[in-house]
Amino acid sequence: MKTRQRGVAIVEFALILPLLLLLTMITTEFGRAIYQYNTVVKSVRGAARYLSVQTPNTRIAEAKNMVVFGNTTGTGPALIAGLTVSNVAAPTWGTTGANPLINTVTITVSGYTFHSMFASVFGITFGDIPFSAIKATMRSYS
């Protein structure tokens, strides 16, 4: 009876391996998408915080650079692949509230799309994920 069971484990492993690889790749891509989304959210918040202490309608190019490159000079690689300064809308300053009136600044990233590392795996295609607009509003102190 034992001789008939020889090699069964390797056959079972070979049958389940494609499913395990597919699940691993899906998990990896989902994790990358969440990481890139959070990176954009954090950089937009940082740029809004930077603009909140500047004179309104100034330092716009520096804020856009902060979103894309993580610094105001626009040097180095982009924080995430595919994110460009053209994805960053011009910041807007406004007011909210009645008593007291609060000055605010809002910066928005739109049109960014997450691109999968894998075009398809075992015939299952991984499509690109377009992110909705990501914006941050902060109180302006100037």
Side-chain angles (χ1 to χ4, degrees):
M1 182 97 144
K2 287 192 180 210
T3 56
R4 296 171 123 191
Q5 296 293 319
R6 263 180 120 171
V8 171
I10 194 73
V11 170
E12 289 173 350
F13 178 71
L15 291 173
I16 199 71
L17 182 63
L19 179 63
L20 291 174
L21 287 174
L22 181 64
L23 290 174
T24 301
M25 290 177 182
I26 289 171
T27 303
T28 301
E29 287 304 292
F30 186 65
R32 285 185 62 244
I34 290 173
Y35 173 79
Q36 287 189 6
Y37 180 83
N38 285 336
T39 300
V40 174
V41 168
K42 184 178 177 185
S43 67
V44 168
R45 263 193 230 131
R49 187 173 296 115
Y50 171 76
L51 288 173
S52 71
V53 295
Q54 306 298 329
T55 304
N57 298 310
T58 63
R59 307 281 184 175
I60 293 171
E62 288 89 347
K64 286 183 173 188
N65 286 337
M66 186 172 277
V67 171
V68 176
F69 302 103
N71 60 57
T72 57
T73 59
T75 57
L79 293 175
I80 56 175
L83 183 63
T84 63
V85 176
S86 64
N87 293 113
V88 184
T92 57
W93 281 264
T95 56
T96 187
N99 192 11
L101 190 65
I102 299 171
N103 296 321
T104 61
V105 60
T106 301
I107 191 160
T108 305
V109 169
S110 58
Y112 178 73
T113 301
F114 168 79
H115 300 287
S116 177
M117 286 190 323
F118 311 109
S120 71
V121 178
F122 303 117
I124 298 173
T125 58
F126 291 103
D128 294 338
I129 302 171
F131 290 163
S132 59
I134 300 169
K135 62 173 64 178
T137 302
M138 297 239 172
R139 183 176 184 167
S140 179
Y141 293 100
S142 45

